[in-house]
Amino acid sequence: MKLQGMNILQIVSDDFEDLELWYPIHRLREEGANVILAGEKGAHVYTGKYGVPAKSDVAFEDVDITSFDALLVPGGWSPDLLRRFDSVKGFVRYMHEQKRPIGQICHAGWVLISADILKGVNVTSTPGIKDDMENAGAIWHDEPVVVDGHIVSSRRPPDLPDYMRAFIDVMAKR
């Protein structure tokens, strides 16, 4: 249990990629982490692209980001919604300033782009947003997982095992 006692915030909205939300939650809980799911509304059921539900524990407005050791952003179409919330962009900026781990997969890079933290950062994502990532100043790689300091990025669901191994390793070094 490498992450015993650590608090990780996972953000959610409708149309998340089901595996990209749930696989990390289960893996991190297996390692002893406390994973809290935050959405626009607390105690609200959000639905993934393939119909899997996820009930938020807390509303964005009630999150004390200073109490979290890391942040996870799922992929799917939800990042396009998530990046519209100033609070979400604030979570990303705070974690970046504090050099706390930030995990992003697939389209999640959109949230980091909107938070304006990717200049000069090595990342990967779904190839569909490669141009967006590069236009935001990121250095894009077509690899299953890329770790650049505290930012861990991955491409798509088949890369989830590599993504979680890397994210857990970054967390365990904190």
Side-chain angles (χ1 to χ4, degrees):
M1 302 254 276
K2 296 179 185 178
L3 307 181
Q4 191 68 41
M6 291 190 170
N7 294 314
I8 300 171
L9 184 67
Q10 168 85 281
I11 57 177
V12 67
S13 69
D14 284 320
D15 293 324
F16 59 87
E17 206 309 323
D18 305 61
L19 286 172
E20 294 170 358
L21 180 97
W22 283 110
Y23 185 97
I25 288 173
H26 292 306
R27 280 295 296 121
L28 294 166
R29 287 179 177 163
E30 287 172 350
E31 291 294 341
N34 179 34
V35 183
I36 300 297
L37 197 55
E40 179 182 9
K41 301 174 189 169
H44 180 78
V45 176
Y46 295 90
T47 305
K49 284 174 40 178
Y50 303 106
V52 177
K55 185 176 182 181
S56 60
D57 299 303
V58 64
F60 295 146
E61 66 187 29
D62 296 325
V63 170
D64 174 9
I65 195 62
T66 66
S67 66
F68 289 94
D69 300 294
L71 174 68
L72 281 173
V73 184
W77 298 120
S78 68
D80 189 37
L81 299 172
L82 291 167
R83 67 183 176 165
R84 300 173 195 193
F85 292 95
D86 289 336
S87 53
V88 168
K89 291 181 282 191
F91 301 158
V92 172
R93 288 185 195 113
Y94 176 83
M95 293 305 222
H96 184 62
E97 290 163 4
Q98 299 299 313
K99 304 295 185 224
R100 294 182 187 176
I102 300 170
Q104 64 151 62
I105 186 167
C106 196
H107 288 83
W110 279 337
V111 176
L112 280 67
I113 288 168
S114 292
D116 195 27
I117 67 159
L118 291 181
K119 288 179 185 68
V121 177
N122 290 287
V123 296
T124 192
S125 67
T126 180
I129 67 166
K130 173 187 176 192
D131 291 347
D132 299 334
M133 301 289 272
E134 290 178 337
N135 289 335
I139 304 158
W140 191 86
H141 305 269
D142 188 10
E143 297 175 16
V145 66
V146 173
V147 177
D148 190 340
H150 62 286
I151 297 176
V152 181
S153 57
S154 193
R155 297 178 301 193
R156 56 182 72 94
D159 300 328
L160 280 162
D162 294 324
Y163 175 52
M164 278 298 95
R165 275 192 297 276
F167 189 80
I168 290 166
D169 287 346
V170 168
M171 289 292 305
K173 292 176 185 171
R174 286 192 40 77

